[in-house]
Amino acid sequence: MIIFGTKGYLYQLAILTLVCGRCGNPAAHTLSKRVTKFTLFFVPLFPVSTKYATQCTFCGAQQKIDKEQAEQLQVQGAGGQPHGHQPQQQPYQG
């Protein structure tokens, strides 16, 4: 018997102040990375998909972005953080 499946991980990369495209308010937005990994016997082995998004903390609107945009926003939001800073990891139910 072989047990396999997927497990999702949600990484919060940065918190940025941006103008929301939906509500128009300059509000904090979380920049997040969602990684889905293939698992074998409940051990995550390799990533299957990676998606990036920003979410407005004022109205909750979420916008998908590509990897290049996410990297640019992360550099802008890094400000004074050292390069060794690890993103916060949270499992999600997907």
Side-chain angles (χ1 to χ4, degrees), residues 1 4 6 9 11 13 19-20 29 32 37 40-41 46 50 55 60-61 67 69 79-84 90:
M1 181 158 120
F4 64 92
T6 59
Y9 296 91
Y11 299 94
L13 302 176
V19 176
C20 180
H29 285 68
S32 59
K37 294 186 178 183
L40 184 63
F41 293 105
F46 56 88
T50 303
Q55 184 172 12
K67 183 179 179 179
Q69 289 175 323
Q81 294 181 358
H83 289 290
Q90 300 172 349

Side-chain angles (χ1 to χ4, degrees), residues 6-7 19 22 26 28 33 42 44 50-51 57 61 66 74 77 80 91:
T6 59
K7 182 172 181 173
V19 176
R22 181 172 152 201
K33 172 180 163 180
F42 305 104
T50 303
K51 297 178 182 178
T57 57
D66 60 18
Q74 191 173 6

Side-chain angles (χ1 to χ4, degrees), residues 47-77:
V48 176
S49 73
T50 303
K51 297 178 182 178
Y52 296 89
T54 59
Q55 184 172 12
C56 177
T57 57
F58 188 80
C59 69
Q62 191 169 12
Q63 178 181 358
K64 295 179 183 178
I65 58 175
D66 60 18
K67 183 179 179 179
E68 291 78 25
Q69 289 175 323
E71 288 173 353
Q72 288 176 350
L73 287 172
Q74 191 173 6
V75 167
Q76 290 174 2

Side-chain angles (χ1 to χ4, degrees), residues 21-38:
R22 181 172 152 201
C23 67
N25 288 315
H29 285 68
T30 57
L31 174 62
S32 59
K33 172 180 163 180
R34 181 177 292 172
V35 180
T36 303
K37 294 186 178 183
F38 176 79

Side-chain angles (χ1 to χ4, degrees), residues 7 17 39 85:
K7 182 172 181 173
T17 301
T39 60
H85 181 272

